Amino acid sequence: MSNNVAYAIVKAGGRQEKVSVGSIVVMNKIEGEAGDKVELEPILLVDGDQVTTSADGISATVTAEIVRAEKGPKIDIIKYKNKTGYRKRQGHRQQLTRVKITSIA
C-alpha cells in the first residue's frame, strides 16, 4: 500500500467517518489524554482508482492523535402533562473527542 492514500472510511465511535491525512474528526468519547495516539479500524481505502474493502483484507492502519475532549450541544428533554401539574425537565450533553488523522499506511 502506498503512502498517498486519498481517503479511508473508518469505524469511529459507532459511526463511519470519511477521513484523509490531516483531517479533524469529532467522534464519540475515546479513552485517552490529548496527544495520545489512537488506531482506527479502516473499512474501505480509496487510492486513486484502487478501492480496497475490509472483505478483501485491508493491511493498512489509520493512526490518529487525540486533540481534545469536548461536549456536544445541550439537548433539553421536557415532559409535561396538562392539568395535573406534572413537569419534568432533564438535560444531556454527549461526551465527544476531537481527533486529527496523522497517517494512513
Side-chain angles (χ1 to χ4, degrees), residues 28-34 36-38 66 95-97 99:
N28 287 347
K29 185 178 180 183
I30 297 175
E31 295 299 322
E33 299 294 323
D36 289 352
K37 301 285 182 193
V38 178
I66 296 176
Q95 300 291 317
L96 303 172
T97 303
V99 298

Side-chain angles (χ1 to χ4, degrees), residues 67-80:
V67 177
R68 66 174 180 253
E70 296 183 356
K71 285 186 178 181
K74 177 83 172 216
I75 298 172
D76 288 322
I77 302 134
I78 299 171
K79 295 180 181 179
Y80 172 79

Side-chain angles (χ1 to χ4, degrees), residues 9-66:
I9 306 292
V10 296
K11 208 181 260 191
R15 292 183 301 212
Q16 294 178 5
E17 299 281 346
K18 178 181 176 183
V19 298
S20 59
V21 175
S23 65
I24 295 178
V25 180
V26 178
M27 61 181 70
N28 287 347
K29 185 178 180 183
I30 297 175
E31 295 299 322
E33 299 294 323
D36 289 352
K37 301 285 182 193
V38 178
E39 285 196 10
L40 303 174
E41 179 184 342
I43 297 172
L44 180 114
L45 291 174
V46 177
D47 185 8
D49 293 335
Q50 183 180 4
V51 177
T52 310
T53 64
S54 59
D56 298 335
I58 297 175
S59 61
T61 59
V62 177
T63 308
E65 179 182 344
I66 296 176

